[in-house]
Amino acid sequence: MMISPCYSAWEDVGERLRSLQLVECELTERELSQILLSTKSICNLGIINCRDVFMSGTFLSNAAEQQQIGLNLVNLKSLHLDDNKYLSDVLLLRITEITPNINLLR
């Protein structure tokens, strides 16, 4: 089943969602940002082999959006980023700067 990132279910589920694993998803950075803007309590996040998310290099480049996503990810303890071909040092730095409570990074 395919669920659009703009689907209102993200807003409905986002408040209660504790774990999200995106494996081999064809999401753009914009779509992932919209999902993360709708989630408020994630503790575990996996973005695994989702090459389109990081391909443009612009993920979290908007300062206001970066700040809001950081507030939403304040409870994030585990981040799994395996097999993302286009995940650069700059993108990883942007992600880790807004997620200071991570205990596990893979």
Side-chain angles (χ1 to χ4, degrees), residues 54 57 59-60 66 79-82 84 86-99 102 105-106:
F54 303 116
F59 182 63
L60 297 176
Q66 184 182 39
L79 180 61
H80 189 178
L81 297 170
D82 279 351
N84 287 295
Y86 297 103
L87 179 61
S88 66
D89 291 346
V90 170
L91 291 172
L92 184 59
L93 183 61
R94 282 185 205 152
I95 294 167
T96 56
E97 283 179 338
I98 65 165
T99 55
I102 289 178
L105 176 63
R106 295 193 282 176

Side-chain angles (χ1 to χ4, degrees), residues 48-99:
I48 302 156
N49 196 19
C50 298
R51 67 180 186 94
D52 295 346
V53 170
F54 303 116
M55 190 181 293
S56 70
T58 60
F59 182 63
L60 297 176
S61 62
N62 177 295
E65 192 171 84
Q66 184 182 39
Q67 182 179 14
Q68 184 59 51
I69 291 172
L71 291 172
N72 288 3
L73 296 178
V74 71
N75 296 316
L76 189 66
K77 303 291 184 216
S78 173
L79 180 61
H80 189 178
L81 297 170
D82 279 351
D83 300 322
N84 287 295
K85 180 178 179 179
Y86 297 103
L87 179 61
S88 66
D89 291 346
V90 170
L91 291 172
L92 184 59
L93 183 61
R94 282 185 205 152
I95 294 167
T96 56
E97 283 179 338
I98 65 165
T99 55

Side-chain angles (χ1 to χ4, degrees), residues 10 20-25 27 32 35-36 45-50 53 80 82 84:
W10 286 113
L20 178 62
Q21 299 295 312
L22 301 167
V23 180
E24 297 180 8
C25 294
L27 289 172
L32 178 59
I35 291 169
L36 295 177
L45 176 62
I47 306 168
I48 302 156
N49 196 19
C50 298
V53 170
H80 189 178
D82 279 351
N84 287 295

